[in-house]
Amino acid sequence: MDLKGKVAIVTGGVSGYGRAYCEELLRHGCKVSVCDIDSDAGDEMVHNLSKIAKDRVIFCPCDVTDYPQFEEAFQTTISKLGGVDIVINNASLMNDRLWELEVDVNLNGIIRGLLLAYRFMGRDRGGCGGIVINAGASSSAHPMISLPVFTATKHAVAALTSCYGDKLHVNLTGVKVIAICPAPTEAHLAADPRKRLLSGEYEQAWHADISNTMPVKCEYVAKTLIDLLKKAPSGSSWLVENGQLPKQMSLFP
Ligand SMILES: NC(=O)C1=CN([C@@H]2O[C@H](COP(=O)(O)OP(=O)(O)OC[C@H]3O[C@@H](n4cnc5c(N)ncnc54)[C@H](O)[C@@H]3O)[C@@H](O)[C@H]2O)C=CC1
Ligand SMILES: CCCCCC(=O)/C=C/[C@H]1[C@H](O)CC(=O)[C@@H]1CCCCCCC(=O)O
């Protein structure tokens, strides 16, 4: 896909990987709709980015757990940026104490984003096709024993990607579906896990889960996102570790 002039929606686009994705997509000539629950930070980010990407970046308030608001973000993007070609379903929460919300953001939020992508980009619905990238994690393929619900959501993202990425759906809709599964960032590895684990008993397991994990840089993951948009086959999930070529995950041996 030639990215120049393409319109991308990035959920959870205000911080971390999402922000790095927005910046990299802008560098490659895309128009970007930053969609996030954090409107203050979103407005400020877009104000700053507008200085270098005039008329190519907007902010849409968007809670991925709220279908009507998510739908409105698509509609605003289309009316202000002229269409939608790429959806990066990036928003996520890692907190097994809030497990119902965690499932609603990490899994249901991605399902909402996919269904909206089909509605607005699906060739069978009058659209032009496009690409959806879903945010998995390295735990899409390897269990984090300390975070069972988080791990389940990320496994589900890879499974959803594999099914919706199948040629049955791609031939019908013209929408490719891919998952990006990064290793943790330095900040994530250094953070205090206690408020995010369902039991204090799991803290030791958390340290075991992240031992031997090399942190990855947001900028590197964002560059990999561009490669995946250009080359990855639909239905594939990619593990991204620092300085290494992305590895395709094997999900259903
Ligand atoms: N940071 C890490 O170490 C890793 C992150 N990932 C994945 O990468 C993606 C991004 O992670 P980070 O950059 O760490 O996230 P982050 O915590 O830096 O940013 C998440 C963004 O999502 C927004 N958000 C939260 N709930 C939302 C909702 N309901 N609707 C819309 N926006 C919402 C937040 O306001 C925030 O801007 C996630 O899917 C995460 O699981 C995967 C592996 C490692
Ligand atoms: C338990 C330590 C707290 C970490 C703080 C932090 O950086 C959280 C980031 C999360 C973000 O809010 C939404 C997420 O999904 C991020 C965490 C994802 C990390 C997954 C690490 C394990 C893996 O690679 O699968």
Side-chain angles (χ1 to χ4, degrees):
M1 177 187 248
D2 179 13
L3 294 176
K4 198 160 184 328
K6 294 288 189 296
V7 178
I9 283 178
V10 182
T11 69
V14 159
S15 73
Y17 288 142
R19 189 182 191 109
Y21 296 156
C22 292
E23 291 169 356
E24 197 63 24
L25 287 162
L26 286 169
R27 268 194 284 277
H28 280 78
C30 290
K31 300 179 199 173
V32 174
S33 174
V34 183
C35 295
D36 202 289
I37 203 167
D38 186 345
S39 291
D40 289 344
D43 285 337
E44 193 189 337
M45 174 178 163
V46 165
H47 174 75
N48 290 331
L49 286 174
S50 299
K51 293 173 196 157
I52 50 159
K54 223 185 338 173
D55 303 331
R56 287 198 293 127
V57 57
I58 60 168
F59 175 73
C60 294
C62 170
D63 180 343
V64 300
T65 69
D66 179 342
Y67 188 92
Q69 200 185 59
F70 206 167
E71 181 179 21
E72 202 178 318
F74 270 76
Q75 275 159 344
T76 305
T77 303
I78 291 163
S79 74
K80 291 196 175 164
L81 297 180
V84 57
D85 307 287
I86 297 167
V87 176
I88 314 288
N89 274 321
N90 168 75
S92 170
L93 171 76
M94 194 194 72
N95 192 331
D96 269 16
R97 289 199 184 189
L98 305 176
W99 59 268
E100 286 169 301
L101 179 61
E102 190 176 51
V103 173
D104 208 14
V105 176
N106 297 10
L107 177 57
N108 299 347
I110 283 190
I111 296 172
R112 290 182 192 99
L114 263 167
L115 296 179
L116 285 164
Y118 287 135
R119 178 165 157 216
F120 289 102
M121 307 193 314
R123 288 206 185 113
D124 53 328
R125 313 281 287 269
C128 302
I131 305 189
V132 175
I133 303 266
N134 295 327
S138 45
S139 55
S140 292
H142 308 289
M144 292 195 77
I145 307 303
S146 59
L147 285 160
V149 180
F150 177 81
T151 298
T153 65
K154 293 299 184 180
H155 270 57
V157 167
L160 192 73
T161 301
S162 179
C163 295
Y164 269 131
D166 187 87
K167 59 182 182 316
L168 169 82
H169 298 284
V170 181
N171 290 344
L172 187 67
T173 62
V175 177
K176 285 170 66 178
V177 187
I178 295 153
I180 186 163
C181 303
T185 56
E186 182 108 55
H188 173 80
L189 288 175
D192 181 353
R194 280 172 295 188
K195 289 192 180 141
R196 295 170 191 253
L197 305 178
L198 205 41
S199 160
E201 303 288 313
Y202 302 169
E203 199 181 335
Q204 224 180 337
W206 160 261
H207 291 292
D209 281 335
I210 63 165
S211 66
N212 304 320
T213 304
M214 290 291 290
V216 68
K217 291 207 183 318
C218 285
E219 299 71 26
Y220 180 70
V221 177
K223 285 192 192 327
T224 303
L225 173 92
I226 301 295
D227 290 341
L228 297 184
L229 279 168
K230 289 183 173 168
K231 294 186 221 145
S234 187
S236 56
S237 289
W238 296 85
L239 176 63
V240 185
E241 295 172 307
N242 217 28
Q244 295 188 32
L245 288 174
K247 288 187 203 118
Q248 188 170 352
M249 288 176 161
S250 171
L251 301 170
F252 303 114

